[in-house]
């Protein structure tokens, strides 16, 4: 299979994987603090920018939180605030360092690892995804019906090109949320990609980097 065709196939899968971050079922509670709903943080048509007026306000808010963090690096509310504003702006790359810091503070909390995994997925950061993949997969074994963990694991599997594994997790989600039309559409799109005449190597998961 020519390399351009394989690359286009992977790009389509990654687009679907990124879209999973905005499924209507998604919620992101955070270590007991008040966290705005995904509807409030979801960008509209452009995932990388808010409206001009809102963008300036959000940038000012983010800078304010970052100033607080310079003085008080462990300030949870400032950390939450800067993450929230960067996600509203669609600045997933900018949110990652703060999410990573939070995950270091709460390494076994799936409610912290889940948004970090999703930020990695949104930026197509395979190396970052593999950092948390093992932890969340283990948590999924312990909590097989947790929709937040299921959704994060599905995204990660798709980002590393494990199309079959991603669909399997999404179908488990569909049993929990049978009325979620976005989820049904995502599954249908992935199955269409899976059923196309493509070479077997295109369906092989990307190997996890070794240290």
């Amino acid at each position: 299979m020519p390399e351009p065709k394989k690359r286009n196939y992977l790009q389509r899968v990654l687009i679907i994987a990124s879209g999973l971050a905005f499924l209507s079922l998604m919620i992101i509670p955070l270590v007991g603090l008040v966290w705005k709903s995904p509807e409030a943080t979801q960008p509209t048509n452009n995932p990388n920018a808010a409206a001009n007026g809102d963008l300036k306000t959000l940038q000012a808010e983010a800078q304010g939180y970052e100033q607080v963090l310079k003085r008080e690096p462990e300030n949870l509310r400032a950390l939450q605030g800067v993450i929230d504003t960067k996600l509203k702006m669609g600045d997933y790359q900018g949110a990652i360092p703060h999410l990573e810091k939070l995950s270091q503070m709460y390494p076994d909390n799936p409610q912290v690892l889940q948004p970090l995994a999703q930020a990695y997925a949104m930026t197509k950061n395979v190396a970052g995804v593999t950092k948390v993949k093992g932890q969340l997969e283990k948590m999924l074994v312990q909590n097989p019906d947790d929709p937040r963990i299921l959704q994060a694991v599905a995204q990660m599997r798709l980002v590393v090109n494990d199309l079959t594994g991603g669909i399997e997790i999404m179908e488990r989600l569909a049993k929990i949320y049978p009325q979620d039309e976005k989820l049904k559409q995502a599954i249908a799109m992935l199955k269409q990609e899976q059923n196309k005449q493509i070479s077997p190597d295109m369906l092989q998961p990307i190997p996890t980097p070794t240290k």
Side-chain angles (χ1 to χ4, degrees), residues 1 18 32 47 52 55 83 88 108 123 125 164 169 185 197 207:
M1 181 65 64
S18 298
N52 289 336
L55 183 59
I83 292 170
K88 283 181 179 179
D108 299 319
T123 55
N125 185 335
T164 300
I169 293 293
Q185 292 172 8
Q197 292 184 355

Side-chain angles (χ1 to χ4, degrees), residues 59-82 98 101:
Q59 288 173 336
E61 289 179 3
Q63 290 172 0
Y65 288 125
E66 287 172 335
Q67 289 299 317
V68 173
L69 289 172
K70 287 180 180 179
R71 300 191 305 268
E72 306 173 47
E74 307 300 316
N75 188 310
L76 283 178
R77 292 197 176 276
L79 195 56
Q80 177 194 358
V82 73
H98 301 290
K101 180 177 178 62

Side-chain angles (χ1 to χ4, degrees), residues 11-179:
Q11 288 174 345
R12 292 195 300 271
V13 171
L14 287 171
I15 289 170
I16 298 171
S18 298
L20 288 179
F22 300 135
L23 291 177
S24 59
L25 62 90
M26 180 181 170
I27 52 175
I28 308 181
L30 179 63
V31 293
L33 299 177
V34 176
W35 190 277
K36 290 180 172 56
S37 68
E39 289 77 13
T41 61
Q42 177 178 343
T44 54
N45 293 326
N46 183 349
N48 296 314
N52 289 336
D54 292 339
L55 183 59
K56 291 181 180 179
T57 300
L58 291 171
Q59 288 173 336
E61 289 179 3
Q63 290 172 0
Y65 288 125
E66 287 172 335
Q67 289 299 317
V68 173
L69 289 172
K70 287 180 180 179
R71 300 191 305 268
E72 306 173 47
E74 307 300 316
N75 188 310
L76 283 178
R77 292 197 176 276
L79 195 56
Q80 177 194 358
V82 73
I83 292 170
D84 185 45
T85 53
K86 286 186 178 294
L87 291 178
K88 283 181 179 179
M89 291 187 289
D91 183 10
Y92 303 102
Q93 191 64 51
I96 284 174
H98 301 290
L99 284 165
E100 288 177 333
K101 180 177 178 62
L102 197 63
S103 72
Q104 291 171 0
M105 297 167 66
Y106 298 90
D108 299 319
N109 191 327
Q111 295 177 336
V112 174
L113 290 175
Q114 188 253 4
L116 174 59
Q118 291 191 339
Y120 283 142
M122 290 297 292
T123 55
K124 303 177 180 65
N125 185 335
V126 175
V129 166
T130 58
K131 287 172 59 177
V132 294
K133 186 175 188 296
Q135 290 172 275
L136 280 172
E137 292 275 9
K138 182 177 179 180
M139 291 176 184
L140 183 58
V141 172
Q142 298 170 344
N143 304 278
D145 297 322
D146 188 318
R148 294 161 299 192
I149 299 176
L150 283 165
Q151 186 170 331
V153 171
Q155 279 186 294
M156 288 189 296
R157 290 184 180 184
L158 293 178
V159 167
V160 299
N161 200 27
D162 183 3
L163 187 57
T164 300
I167 291 173
E168 182 266 327
I169 293 293
M170 292 168 65
E171 288 179 333
R172 287 168 60 180
L173 269 172
K175 292 179 180 178
I176 299 174
Y177 295 93
Q179 304 304 317

